[in-house]
Each structure stands twice: as structure tokens, then as C-alpha cells.
Amino acid sequence: MTLTLGMITTDTSDAAALGAWWAEQTGGTVVETNDGWFVTVQLPGGTMLAFQRVDDPTPGKNRLHLDLGAPDLDAEVQRLTAVGAQVVAERSMGGFRGVTLTDPDGNEFCVANH
């Protein structure tokens, strides 16, 4: 089983403005705005950038983290925790389900169903 890169996500206090800035700088296109709380930018070549609005960035939390996709989320989380990852939080909304984890050095990343 392998992970695939879903997108690269940056926490920010203004997701719409930062997403628009990066779209302009990279020749990308804003494809989702979600009322300014989660903005996605499609880059030429296929990579996605995302900008997630947070009201008060938590000290020590990564401002930039990987969002990875897995066809079997539960199996992938089990595999990752077996090799040293730690679960931080689980989230779901509509058809989306994802888990925030830390790597062995404490760096956060997310794995979602896809």
C-alpha cells in the first residue's frame, strides 16, 4: 500500500486572499472557495494547493502540512500508527473523512479517503 499526494495545505488567517495570491504567482486557478474557510488552487501540472482559514493559529502546529490520500483510510492509519505515527484528530463532513496524525518527529500531516 502506498500514499499519494492529495494537496499541500497552508494554515492562514485569510484563506481567500492567500489562495488568490498563490494562484496568481503560480499560474494556478482557484477552484474552490468554500466561503473563504478552505480555498483550493489547481496548479498547472496537477498539484493542488489548499489554504485553510484558522482563527488563531496554535503555537507549535505546522502552518504547512501534507494532505495525503488513501483508498482505505482505516487500513492506512493503522499501518502508519504501527510504524510510529500518532493520531491527533479525526474529522468528517459530508462524504469527506480524514485523520490528522504526527510523524515520529511530531510533524502533522493528514490522510483522507479518496
Side-chain angles (χ1 to χ4, degrees):
M1 187 174 294
T2 60
L3 293 170
T4 58
L5 179 64
M7 65 184 76
I8 300 168
T9 303
T10 302
D11 287 352
T12 178
S13 60
D14 190 342
L18 193 58
W21 187 87
W22 276 105
E24 185 175 336
Q25 305 318 307
T26 60
T29 303
V30 174
V31 292
E32 293 285 338
T33 58
N34 300 296
D35 295 325
W37 69 269
F38 193 82
V39 175
T40 56
V41 175
Q42 178 73 57
L43 300 181
T47 302
M48 296 286 291
L49 298 179
F51 302 90
Q52 177 175 280
R53 185 181 69 216
V54 294
D55 295 328
D56 188 19
T58 305
K61 181 181 184 296
N62 299 9
R63 290 178 50 92
L64 180 71
H65 65 269
L66 295 177
D67 280 343
L68 304 165
D72 185 337
L73 178 60
D74 294 324
E76 193 61 24
V77 169
Q78 184 176 17
R79 184 187 73 78
L80 290 163
T81 56
V83 295
Q86 299 290 315
V87 172
V88 174
E90 297 186 30
R91 294 177 179 77
S92 62
M93 179 185 301
F96 171 82
R97 184 167 162 249
V99 179
T100 302
L101 301 107
T102 57
D103 67 16
D105 285 342
N107 298 303
E108 289 186 7
F109 63 99
C110 297
V111 179
N113 58 336
H114 76 113

